[in-house]
Amino acid sequence: LNEPFKRLLLGRMLMSLGAISYSLYLIHQCNLRFVGSITAFLLPANWTWPSIVLQISIHILLAIPFYLLCERPFLNKSLVGESASSNSTTAPSSIPRPATAPMSEAAI
C-alpha cells in the first residue's frame, strides 16, 4: 500500500512533513512566543481550535526555510541513482569475499 499512498495528495503532504520534521523539532521551541503573539494578534482569544491550527501552520512555514537552508545541504546524497558500473569499479564493497561453508551442528 506504500506506492498508492504516495500517489495521494495526503500521502505526498505527510511525506513532505516527515522530511522537514527534524527541522520542525529543532526550531519550534525558539518560536513558541513569536508564533503565539502572531496568532493572538490575528485571531480572537476565544477561537481555540483555529488558533491551534494557525500556530501549527506557522511553525511548519518557519521550518521549511530552515530545512532548505540549514538541514538539506548537509544531508547525505542518495545512492539510488548511482549506476551499477561505477559501484563495481570503485566501491571497496565490490571486492569479492572468500566463499565460506555454512556452519553445521557438527562443527560446533
Side-chain angles (χ1 to χ4, degrees), residues 13-31:
M13 288 173 45
L14 288 175
M15 289 176 61
S16 298
L17 183 62
I20 67 163
S21 64
Y22 187 65
S23 295
L24 184 61
Y25 163 74
L26 288 176
I27 69 164
H28 86 279
Q29 190 68 34
C30 302
N31 294 321

Side-chain angles (χ1 to χ4, degrees), residues 21 59 87:
S21 64
H59 278 292
N87 285 341

